Amino acid sequence: MQTKIVVICGSDRPASASLAIATYIRNLCAEHPAVERVEILDLNQEKIPLWDEGFWDNTPYWESIWRPISNLLKDGDGFIMVTPEWGGMVPPTLKNFLLLCEPSEIGHKPNLIVSCSSSRGGAQPIAELRTSGYKNNKLCHIPDHIHIQKVNEVIEEITSGKHDTYFAKRIDWSIRVLLSYAQAMKPMRQAEFLFDPTYEHGM
């Protein structure tokens, strides 16, 4: 079963460490025979506005901004969400993105969280994403995650071709876990009751 993966880079910064990690992960995914296609959704490039009620009303303004993103998300079978830690939190751009996402786009699809920190931090965004941001869109974070401390040192290792490092091996293993979830959950989404509008909001 072929799988389509979307790697979401949640940093607001151009040429960020998060984007370097996202690009590395995208390239690793592309090497797996089970992957049909893998693309990066760079939230810094997209410049998505803050949510407002016009989004619910499908105004032309929001339609032009969100429709290409929505189509990309709907086509994906699984996601890898790369987030930096800013002040112990997930960047506001990523939280805004999750507020805009709907079950028809990312619902009941697996997501691998990857958190990056230039120091010894980085754990808080993992806890934050597992606590909030999934309730109404019904994204499913898998139990495994990647926590990269001193990310610039790790980037230097993996981009220099050292594929036998701990993080290179661990990331590759986590990708395989995500792909297993993606393949297993694809048939499940054929059950129409999962998208019953009566219960479209999480409790």
Side-chain angles (χ1 to χ4, degrees):
M1 186 184 299
Q2 292 296 98
T3 306
K4 300 171 186 176
I5 299 296
V6 179
V7 182
I8 300 163
C9 179
S11 177
D12 285 356
R13 293 173 175 163
S16 65
S18 297
L19 182 59
I21 293 294
T23 302
Y24 175 76
I25 289 174
R26 189 269 312 273
N27 294 340
L28 276 183
C29 284
E31 295 176 1
H32 283 265
V35 174
E36 177 181 343
R37 186 170 69 250
V38 54
E39 297 188 45
I40 291 180
L41 177 62
D42 183 359
L43 298 188
N44 173 67
Q45 290 290 325
E46 297 298 333
K47 306 296 184 187
I48 302 169
L50 290 177
W51 178 93
D52 62 46
E53 290 185 345
F55 184 78
W56 284 346
D57 298 331
N58 295 317
T59 61
Y61 169 76
W62 273 109
E63 177 73 15
S64 64
I65 293 169
W66 189 251
R67 182 55 53 196
I69 297 171
S70 177
N71 290 338
L72 176 64
L73 298 174
K74 286 178 179 177
D75 198 43
D77 300 308
F79 306 99
I80 301 173
M81 194 169 289
V82 183
T83 176
E85 181 184 66
W86 287 5
M89 297 179 288
V90 170
T93 296
L94 182 52
K95 294 302 289 283
N96 182 58
F97 167 78
L98 289 169
L99 182 64
L100 294 166
C101 290
E102 298 179 350
S104 62
E105 297 161 338
I106 66 175
H108 308 288
K109 295 180 181 180
N111 177 58
L112 169 65
I113 299 171
V114 181
S115 178
C116 303
S117 172
S118 60
S119 64
R120 287 290 186 183
Q124 285 90 338
I126 297 169
E128 184 178 352
L129 288 172
R130 292 194 183 281
T131 301
S132 66
Y134 68 91
K135 183 176 81 72
N136 288 350
N137 57 47
K138 308 201 175 177
L139 178 66
C140 297
H141 301 303
I142 66 172
D144 191 55
H145 61 254
I146 298 293
H147 177 197
I148 303 177
Q149 299 175 324
K150 295 192 173 181
V151 64
N152 293 319
E153 294 180 11
V154 173
I155 291 171
E156 187 176 346
E157 287 181 353
I158 60 181
T159 56
S160 64
K162 297 178 181 177
H163 300 301
D164 59 344
T165 65
Y166 169 78
F167 273 110
K169 291 179 178 179
R170 183 68 192 233
I171 291 170
D172 184 67
W173 182 84
S174 295
I175 288 171
R176 287 185 282 129
V177 172
L178 175 73
L179 293 176
S180 294
Y181 273 95
Q183 292 174 355
M185 294 177 74
K186 187 184 291 190
M188 185 189 77
R189 291 192 296 277
Q190 296 175 2
E192 293 184 4
F193 80 91
L194 287 175
F195 301 95
D196 186 338
T198 308
Y199 308 106
E200 64 180 346
H201 298 133
M203 184 174 285

